[in-house]
Amino acid sequence: MKKTTKAKDIEISQVCSADIDKICEIAIAAWEDIHTGYRKIIGDDDLYGRVAMNWQQRKAESIREKAEKMPAEVLVAKCNQEVVGFITFAINQTVATGEIGNNGVMSAYQGAGIGKKLYNRVLEIFRKHGLIYALVSTGYEDPGHARARAGYEKVGFKKMSTSITYSMKL
């Protein structure tokens, strides 16, 4: 499907309750590579098991909660009425910033410009709200976040900072 799908064939709309299970499924699939990378980076199966315990359930719950409580801040990308991608975001009028949150595109549709279309739609919303800055956070050097970093840079995001997490066995 990816080879024939173009961003122009994709409709972007606000999430509806019928879309929620699918966006949770897309998120879990998208984060599989990230967690494979985390496991390699952490290198300690016991530590990874503790920090990533039930990550699929927790990821789905956080996306489901956002979609149910704040559907205006969750968009879906559809191709022929099928949900193929999603994006969550938040607006903070107090400091005039917007932040892109969880987002993903089904693997069969990656590379067709769908992520870029989702990012641009959210940036358009931020501008309409008079926001001054858009923010997004992602993994720094792990390969699982490489596509996300490239996508953010394509729409104009600049790296602001990096962080590192340390651990110590007690």
Side-chain angles (χ1 to χ4, degrees), residues 29-158:
W31 268 262
E32 285 288 347
D33 285 347
I34 292 166
H35 276 272
T36 298
Y38 283 166
R39 184 181 291 275
K40 288 178 185 172
I41 290 167
I42 292 172
D44 179 330
D45 284 340
D46 180 55
L47 176 59
Y48 174 80
R50 292 171 189 279
V51 298
M53 185 182 302
N54 301 321
W55 74 263
Q56 295 97 332
Q57 178 184 343
R58 289 184 287 120
K59 178 60 69 179
E61 285 174 358
S62 74
I63 291 169
R64 180 175 302 283
E65 181 178 6
K66 178 78 170 184
E68 289 173 348
K69 291 184 177 177
M70 304 186 87
E73 293 183 354
V74 181
L75 302 178
V76 293
K78 291 185 178 181
C79 180
N80 298 320
Q81 305 302 315
E82 177 188 10
V83 175
V84 298
F86 77 98
I87 189 165
T88 68
F89 60 95
I91 293 173
N92 185 331
Q93 291 286 2
T94 304
V95 294
T97 61
E99 185 166 8
I100 290 176
N102 289 304
N103 62 90
V105 174
M106 288 174 58
S107 61
Y109 290 84
Q110 290 176 0
I114 297 167
K116 183 177 180 179
K117 191 168 185 173
L118 285 163
Y119 302 148
N120 282 327
R121 178 64 63 86
V122 169
L123 294 172
E124 181 181 305
I125 292 167
F126 290 169
R127 288 181 185 102
K128 284 181 181 175
H129 279 83
L131 304 182
I132 298 170
Y133 289 101
L135 307 169
V136 65
S137 298
T138 191
Y140 177 54
E141 290 182 334
D142 64 289
H145 283 99
R147 285 191 308 260
R149 289 189 304 270
Y152 301 141
E153 290 170 10
K154 279 183 187 177
V155 296
F157 281 96
K158 305 288 183 233

Side-chain angles (χ1 to χ4, degrees), residues 15-27:
V15 72
C16 67
S17 60
D19 302 329
I20 295 174
D21 287 341
K22 187 64 175 184
I23 66 173
C24 291
E25 178 185 314
I26 292 169

